[in-house]
Amino acid sequence: MGELRTTGEHPPWEGLAGTDRHAACVIAARTGDRRALDVLVAELTPLVWHVARGHGLDRATAEDVVQTVWLAFLRHIDRLHEPRALVGWLVVATRREARRTWTPAKRETGLTDELADHLESTHGLPEDAALVDDRDIRLWRAFGRLSQRCQELLRLTVLAGRAEYRTVAEALAIPRGSIGPTRGRCLTTLRTHLDAEGGSR
């Protein structure tokens, strides 16, 4: 891939969404359009981050994994045969890197670390976190009791969206048609755990 550049041209991904948007960005990034790469990083880094965190990595290690995955994407961008499969590629690459770097010493501290991320992104300043409804705390506790597979499936389907179910299915090695039913069972289990935590109110 040549040197990344920016142009004033009308971006080919404008007006597109989901897989089509990401594919257009990949193609443009191959030609050196830095705006395309910026769009991909901005829109898909949360997905990469949650996959890394879903493998039990602490925050610092997850950040390293995210950076490593994007660098790998840049190195392999010309070899990504199907640009529409980018989400699946990122998920698989992140899972591999997370497993490679995971050690017990780098495991997240459980609810506290995950909840801290949620409070930080939702409420901003630390002092605002004290105002959060305890329902959020119960929800994260219930989520933490789900199997890793359910956690990952819920993270990916929420962040990637229905348009990416095919690539999510490929990344998780499960049939596309089972994504919905499996997600439903995971949500039912989450509600059961939430009830055990004192309900959703």
Side-chain angles (χ1 to χ4, degrees):
M1 186 181 71
E3 182 179 352
L4 289 174
R5 56 181 170 74
T6 57
T7 71
E9 301 170 0
H10 180 73
W13 58 87
E14 190 172 293
L16 300 178
T19 302
D20 292 337
R21 179 177 174 85
H22 299 149
C25 286
V26 169
I27 294 169
R30 283 175 174 168
T31 70
D33 192 331
R34 180 175 290 277
R35 297 173 305 167
L37 181 64
D38 289 343
V39 169
L40 291 174
V41 171
E43 295 186 3
L44 294 177
T45 288
L47 177 71
V48 176
W49 167 259
H50 278 281
V51 173
R53 291 286 279 157
H55 279 72
L57 300 182
D58 62 38
R59 197 179 312 185
T61 307
E63 288 173 353
D64 290 341
V65 166
V66 170
Q67 183 176 20
T68 299
V69 168
W70 280 117
L71 289 174
F73 167 71
L74 281 176
R75 288 196 303 270
H76 295 92
I77 190 170
D78 290 322
R79 284 181 274 172
L80 187 63
H81 299 299
E82 178 48 74
R84 293 173 62 85
L86 174 61
V87 167
W89 187 93
L90 289 173
V91 169
V92 171
T94 305
R95 294 174 86 194
R96 287 175 179 168
E97 184 63 19
R99 288 168 181 164
R100 188 185 70 80
T101 60
W102 188 93
T103 64
K106 291 181 177 179
R107 187 171 184 174
E108 68 177 348
T109 57
L111 169 69
T112 304
D113 212 13
E114 185 74 47
L115 181 60
D117 283 344
H118 171 70
L119 294 179
E120 183 177 285
S121 62
T122 305
H123 299 277
L125 298 176
E127 55 267 26
D128 293 335
L131 303 177
V132 70
D133 185 354
D134 67 347
R135 179 184 180 279
D136 285 343
I137 297 175
R138 290 198 299 272
L139 178 59
W140 279 108
R141 282 180 180 151
F143 185 82
R145 293 176 61 189
L146 292 174
S147 66
Q148 180 176 320
R149 190 173 184 81
C150 271
Q151 289 188 28
E152 190 168 24
L153 177 63
L154 291 179
R155 290 172 190 269
L156 294 185
T157 52
V158 168
L159 289 165
R162 184 174 294 275
E164 305 285 4
Y165 270 22
R166 178 179 64 84
T167 49
V168 169
E170 291 174 357
L172 297 180
I174 59 178
R176 181 181 180 181
S178 70
I179 290 282
T182 303
R183 183 174 184 267
R185 287 192 294 272
C186 290
L187 288 172
T188 297
T189 303
L190 177 62
R191 291 188 190 99
T192 299
H193 291 329
L194 184 57
D195 287 341
E197 290 289 341
S200 58
R201 291 178 301 197

